Amino acid sequence: QVQLVESGGGLVQAGGSLRLSCAASGRTFSKDAMGWFRQAPGKEREFVAAHRWNNGNTYYAYYTESVKGRFTISRDNAKNTVYLHMNSLKPEDTAVYYCAAYTKSERYDSWYRTIRNVDFWGQGTQVTVSS
């Protein structure tokens, strides 16, 4: 049984930083893509970032426009874990952040933004940014 367990959420002031972690168990995702979505109160779940391996240790990272330059997604295959490093946080980043895992990889970033292409979800971790 695949489980994705997020950690690292919390309350932070605007301009601060957080690092989210998502540890996968039950299956290795070393060759598959992983990513993050978020859902703010009253809004739909939206794509934040995705990471897919290319060849060897090279990879592609995709981001939604609003977090480019502030968030960084990274992976540790030895730990079967994906991270989201969030800097310069803004109140509008407040949301529940969900880890996402895919059982395949595609070349187009639009594919990763589509919720139905996610195969496994974490339970979510709350991030609150105060102004």
Side-chain angles (χ1 to χ4, degrees):
Q1 181 181 358
V2 174
Q3 282 192 312
L4 304 178
V5 179
E6 299 104 333
S7 60
L11 173 65
V12 64
Q13 288 189 330
S17 300
L18 282 175
R19 187 186 77 162
L20 304 184
S21 301
C22 171
S25 62
R27 182 188 189 278
T28 180
F29 291 93
S30 59
K31 296 184 179 180
D32 300 310
M34 297 185 76
W36 293 90
F37 285 70
R38 66 186 179 186
Q39 188 165 16
K43 294 188 176 181
E44 295 185 349
R45 191 172 298 190
E46 66 171 358
F47 170 81
V48 176
H51 177 293
R52 73 169 177 95
W53 294 108
N54 184 25
N55 294 313
N57 289 325
T58 64
Y59 63 92
Y60 289 97
Y62 308 108
Y63 300 94
T64 192
E65 193 65 33
S66 63
V67 308
K68 285 182 180 178
R70 301 188 298 122
F71 291 11
T72 302
I73 188 169
S74 65
R75 300 270 295 272
D76 184 337
N77 273 355
K79 296 181 179 180
N80 212 20
T81 297
V82 61
Y83 303 95
L84 186 66
H85 307 261
M86 305 185 294
N87 297 317
S88 301
L89 282 160
K90 304 175 181 180
E92 51 263 44
D93 294 317
T94 295
V96 177
Y97 283 70
Y98 295 92
C99 178
Y102 309 78
T103 57
K104 59 182 295 188
S105 295
E106 292 289 347
R107 299 168 64 183
Y108 308 103
D109 69 356
S110 59
W111 188 85
Y112 299 96
R113 301 171 187 270
T114 304
I115 288 177
R116 66 175 180 270
N117 291 331
V118 176
D119 294 290
F120 302 99
W121 292 99
Q123 81 286 354
T125 185
Q126 177 70 46
V127 172
T128 303
V129 184
S130 63
S131 58

